[in-house]
Amino acid sequence: MFFLIGLGLGDAKDVTVKGLEIIKKCSRVYLEAYTSVLTVGKEALEEFYGRELIIADRDCVEQDADSILSEAANEDVALLVVGDPFGATTHTDLVLRAKQKAIPYQIVHNASIMNAVGCCGLQLYCFGETVSIPYWTDTWQPDSFYHKIKSNRIRGLHTLCLLDIKVKEPTLESMTKKKKEYMPPRFMSVNEASQQLITIIENERKHLKPEFMQKSPLAYTENTLCVGLARVGSPLQKIFVATLKEMSETDLGAPLHSLIICGEIQPLEEEYLEQFLSGSCSSSSFKDHAGTSACLF
């Protein structure tokens, strides 16, 4: 059987009892190591699980998936995934391939950022479509997610922004070579994401004529309330509430980071968020950024 096992968000002990039992009995156990990472490394997991793990990078999971599934046709094979198994489309594809090959499979769910984001006090049912913010390059600066943020905000909904990570990414120079060379790992921070979001609205202002601002306002501004989250699920978890401008100047430390662009904030949400306020959003000024539909733009 092929097992997809979620590991949660914190450390080795976040695995479920069911997941741990399966890990211990499988012939081979792979650790997916590119869509997300835990706060502990492979060695800490091996010590807690009591067995060896095989690192599965992007090439292994996406290009050599059939080999992993072929093994599962004759023995129990597990792929360990940070968060929940269905947090990435890659894992959905693996399940579809297993079905096509008539290989039995089992999913073991766990916490992911998609539900753990509620730790900041914003209600999960008040979130709209989630977006991903990729690293920009000099020649590639996508901003299509801006319109999804705008759609969420028009409806008063919060937007969870998943921030880019780069693990074992080949350099552009090595793409044409037989031997790939890899860039150092990179994990986008909330301040990097906020800087890109500010650049997007600056570009929008240039193309949007003043007379149309009332009919088609910006999705957000530098004063829009945001929530920065770092290392959710770990003892070093940090939550920070500030304007987008302040967030662009904030260092929340080590990865992983996520960013929320707030929509209309309910009284209970406001009360919970107050403990994380900082900077110009403190005390009465917080109400200028949250709680009414007037703050949406």
Side-chain angles (χ1 to χ4, degrees):
M1 182 173 285
F2 175 60
F3 296 92
L4 263 175
I5 302 175
L7 299 183
L9 296 172
D11 55 30
K13 294 183 179 180
D14 279 0
V15 68
T16 64
V17 174
K18 180 188 291 186
L20 184 57
E21 289 175 347
I22 294 171
I23 290 170
K24 289 182 177 295
K25 77 171 187 178
C26 282
S27 301
R28 297 171 71 84
V29 182
Y30 292 88
L31 174 63
E32 193 262 78
Y34 77 92
T35 58
S36 189
V37 294
L38 289 174
T39 56
V40 296
K42 171 176 174 283
E43 294 74 16
L45 297 178
E46 289 179 327
E47 181 179 356
F48 185 76
Y49 301 154
R51 63 164 309 140
E52 180 184 359
L53 303 180
I54 304 167
I55 292 294
D57 58 18
R58 182 189 293 271
D59 290 343
C60 177
V61 176
E62 293 186 350
Q63 299 178 22
D64 202 30
D66 288 340
S67 295
I68 297 176
L69 293 175
S70 295
E71 295 170 359
N74 302 306
E75 54 189 4
D76 289 336
V77 175
L79 177 65
L80 311 185
V81 177
V82 176
D84 185 83
F86 287 132
T89 55
T90 297
H91 310 136
T92 304
D93 178 66
L94 281 173
V95 171
L96 291 174
R97 292 194 192 195
K99 287 176 68 69
Q100 290 169 357
K101 295 177 180 294
I103 297 172
Y105 67 90
Q106 182 177 338
I107 310 298
V108 181
H109 293 285
N110 210 318
S112 77
I113 191 61
M114 300 294 285
N115 60 351
V117 69
C119 66
C120 70
L122 296 176
Q123 301 301 299
L124 295 180
Y125 59 80
C126 293
F127 279 79
E129 186 174 359
T130 298
V131 304
S132 296
I133 299 182
Y135 274 116
W136 282 354
T137 67
D138 292 338
T139 57
W140 188 68
Q141 298 185 356
D143 61 2
S144 58
F145 52 83
Y146 170 85
H147 300 288
K148 294 180 180 180
I149 297 172
K150 186 169 186 176
S151 177
N152 288 341
R153 297 261 295 162
I154 288 173
R155 292 177 289 155
L157 301 175
H158 314 308
T159 304
L160 171 61
C161 303
L162 303 179
L163 310 188
D164 201 2
I165 69 172
K166 299 289 187 183
V167 178
K168 203 174 180 181
E169 291 284 331
T171 62
L172 291 175
E173 295 78 8
S174 71
M175 294 292 283
T176 56
K177 299 179 182 178
K178 292 184 178 180
K179 183 178 180 181
K180 288 184 179 179
E181 298 175 354
Y182 299 96
M183 296 183 287
R186 297 174 65 197
F187 305 90
M188 183 179 285
S189 63
V190 293
N191 58 300
E192 289 175 312
S194 299
Q195 289 165 13
Q196 290 188 184
L197 287 167
I198 289 174
T199 299
I200 290 172
I201 58 172
E202 289 173 345
N203 292 335
E204 286 291 317
R205 286 193 181 103
K206 293 177 183 177
H207 297 99
L208 193 60
K209 296 181 179 179
E211 58 266 29
F212 295 123
M213 284 295 288
Q214 292 298 322
K215 294 182 180 179
S216 180
L218 296 171
Y220 54 86
T221 72
E222 292 86 348
N223 293 320
T224 295
L225 195 73
C226 296
V227 181
L229 304 102
R231 303 169 297 282
V232 171
S234 82
L236 299 177
Q237 173 177 299
K238 186 173 180 60
I239 301 172
F240 183 77
V241 177
T243 64
L244 181 62
K245 176 61 176 177
E246 289 174 322
M247 200 68 72
S248 71
E249 301 166 348
T250 299
D251 181 7
L252 295 188
L256 293 173
H257 291 191
S258 300
L259 180 69
I260 302 169
I261 301 174
C262 296
E264 187 171 354
I265 297 177
Q266 307 303 319
L268 183 63
E269 293 177 314
E270 181 177 332
E271 182 179 353
Y272 201 93
L273 284 175
E274 285 178 349
Q275 63 186 301
F276 308 119
L277 289 173
S278 184
S280 66
C281 286
S282 61
S283 64
S284 61
S285 65
F286 173 57
K287 299 184 185 299
D288 296 331
H289 302 279
T292 68
S293 59
C295 76
L296 294 182
F297 303 107

